[in-house]
Amino acid sequence: MGSDFYQQSILPFAGIIIKICRAYTHSQEDFEDYYQEVCLQIWRSRDNFNAESKWSTWIYKVALNVCLTHLKQRKKGQQQFVSDALPDEVHDDAKAFGSDDINLLYNAIKHLSEIDRAVILLYLEEKSYVEIGEIIGANTNSIGVRITRIKERLNKFIQAQE
């Protein structure tokens, strides 16, 4: 992967990738593997971006697809990662496994279904219902109701943990 592509097309969206990977992993090592796999897939499939949506929306889609695919492979006992260290530019942001409040939120999010995790992460990123529907392939009209139900489940889980 060229460093120019990484610097210009991936690094500005590292926060998106970090949040999604964090929601689908349970350790720093898994997180780093997922992050690198997402970056590699963005680079490999960059020619498939057709500008019908924003680049950030496309990055969300790629990141979610990679994480969901690897979750399924992990459940089946398959794993295909080649892990190296994270780039220095994202290493500090990626070490979010230390904050208790953030860990509580991510722990609650991890108890949601895979799709509900994606919905709430997109909502927390302040994506519109239209963008959320486009990214996860759902009807825009149902997104608001789904978010309300997810928030209720997260609140119940967090209150039970306190």
Side-chain angles (χ1 to χ4, degrees):
M1 176 178 342
S3 79
D4 286 345
F5 179 80
Y6 181 80
Q7 293 290 329
Q8 296 173 1
S9 301
I10 295 178
L11 191 56
F13 304 97
I16 292 169
I17 300 167
I18 288 169
K19 288 174 186 158
I20 291 172
C21 293
R22 173 78 198 280
Y24 289 95
T25 58
H26 297 285
S27 70
Q28 184 68 29
E29 295 81 22
D30 286 346
F31 165 80
E32 290 177 9
D33 287 341
Y34 276 55
Y35 181 90
Q36 288 184 347
E37 191 66 24
V38 167
C39 291
L40 182 60
Q41 188 57 41
I42 291 168
W43 181 75
R44 283 181 180 158
S45 59
R46 67 192 181 280
D47 293 335
N48 295 334
F49 177 69
N50 57 15
E52 287 180 14
S53 61
K54 295 182 201 173
W55 180 253
S56 62
T57 302
W58 187 77
I59 290 214
Y60 265 107
K61 282 184 175 183
V62 171
L64 284 171
N65 286 335
V66 168
C67 288
L68 292 174
T69 298
H70 285 294
L71 265 181
K72 289 176 187 172
Q73 288 175 345
R74 178 164 275 178
K75 287 178 184 175
K76 293 179 181 178
Q78 305 168 350
Q79 198 162 342
Q80 299 176 316
F81 291 123
V82 177
S83 180
D84 293 322
L86 281 178
D88 292 336
E89 297 89 355
V90 296
H91 205 279
D92 291 336
D93 291 339
K95 290 211 179 254
F97 285 84
S99 166
D100 289 339
D101 290 339
I102 296 294
N103 283 337
L104 183 60
L105 176 60
Y106 273 103
N107 190 32
I109 289 171
K110 288 176 186 175
H111 283 84
L112 298 171
S113 71
E114 294 166 357
I115 296 300
D116 285 350
R117 282 186 231 177
V119 170
I120 200 64
L121 289 172
L122 293 166
Y123 174 77
L124 291 172
E125 282 290 318
E126 300 179 353
K127 294 294 182 185
S128 70
Y129 290 178
V130 172
E131 287 177 293
I132 294 171
E134 180 183 321
I135 290 168
I136 67 164
N139 181 330
T140 302
N141 297 330
S142 67
I143 298 297
V145 173
R146 190 173 206 153
I147 289 171
T148 300
R149 291 180 182 158
I150 292 169
K151 285 181 184 178
E152 289 170 0
R153 282 184 287 185
L154 289 174
N155 281 330
K156 285 180 186 175
F157 182 86
I158 291 171
Q159 288 173 359
Q161 299 299 308
E162 294 178 336

